[in-house]
Amino acid sequence: MSYVRLTGRNGAFGWQREGRIALGGLRPRQTYGLLFDGGKSEFQADTQGAWSGKAAGEVLCVGRGGQAILWNENRVHQAGAQALLNIRPEPAPQTPPPPPPSPEKPKEKAIHYRRTADTPPVDALPTLQWPQAAAQLRPYFDTLRPVGLFPGWRTVKTREAGMPCCFGFHIQGDRVDGLLYGVQARGSMLPPKGLQGYSYERAADGQGYWVLRQTGL
């Protein structure tokens, strides 16, 4: 892993080299969240407002109290880091109990079917490729019903932090090459705190949204 510089706010700074992370300018003895490719963790700054450690992947952003403090400009800007920190995974659905055993049926005469061909069907869709920067949103699209909100983007609706919002992705060929984050607007023509960089757009459902697009993944 090459050298990665982290951009910060309020005097925070940091970098990552060969998996080793060094941060400074943090609030002493405060707990921070670290979001990186493939996972997330928490750490506490020392009495000097510094911390060093390792992560299993490249750092995306660091947050405290739901606010983005540091972010990797090579992967995401401040507004995108804020959106990533606000994402909360949907609870996993509970597995229903198995059905009671059915009464034993009389044996039927065996039916022999033609052997299945080894070649893929001609109408099979190619497998969609998700880059690491987009993989954390994939569960939303696997579990929620798609809705058409923005032309050219596949979107789903959900709620995050009690607010109606949506997520979307754009594909090029058979690869996801863009992400969309949207928060439903509530009357004001100025974006809420924490959504700087978002722009106002009206969706196909007639609702106004504060929208951020992340392309070139």
Side-chain angles (χ1 to χ4, degrees), residues 138-192:
R138 183 174 181 178
Y140 289 89
F141 303 104
D142 290 342
T143 57
L144 298 177
R145 182 173 61 87
V147 293
L149 295 179
F150 300 97
W153 294 80
R154 302 184 183 183
T155 51
V156 293
K157 285 184 176 182
T158 183
R159 295 183 70 87
E160 297 293 341
M163 296 188 297
C165 63
C166 66
F167 299 119
F169 69 89
H170 183 274
I171 59 174
Q172 180 69 34
D174 60 350
R175 186 178 188 276
V176 173
D177 68 341
L179 295 177
L180 179 146
Y181 307 91
V183 178
Q184 187 172 318
R186 295 185 174 181
S188 174
M189 293 306 295
L190 295 176

Side-chain angles (χ1 to χ4, degrees), residues 5 41 62 117-119 122 136 140 153 158 174-175 185 188:
R5 179 179 176 273
S41 61
V62 176
D118 295 330
T119 56
V122 295
Q136 56 196 322
Y140 289 89
W153 294 80
T158 183
D174 60 350
R175 186 178 188 276
S188 174

Side-chain angles (χ1 to χ4, degrees), residues 185-192 198 200-202 210:
R186 295 185 174 181
S188 174
M189 293 306 295
L190 295 176
Y198 284 60
Y200 180 86
E201 295 184 31
R202 187 166 295 277
W210 293 106

Side-chain angles (χ1 to χ4, degrees), residues 29-52:
R29 298 187 179 278
Q30 294 295 307
T31 300
Y32 290 80
L34 179 68
L35 184 63
F36 53 88
D37 284 337
K40 59 183 178 180
S41 61
E42 290 187 344
F43 66 88
Q44 187 178 65
D46 62 18
T47 56
Q48 302 299 317
W51 178 83
S52 62

Side-chain angles (χ1 to χ4, degrees), residues 102-108:
S102 58
E104 185 176 351
K105 296 181 179 180
K107 293 183 179 180
E108 298 179 356

Side-chain angles (χ1 to χ4, degrees), residues 4-16:
V4 175
R5 179 179 176 273
L6 302 178
T7 303
R9 54 194 292 257
N10 298 329
F13 61 90
W15 62 86
Q16 181 180 20

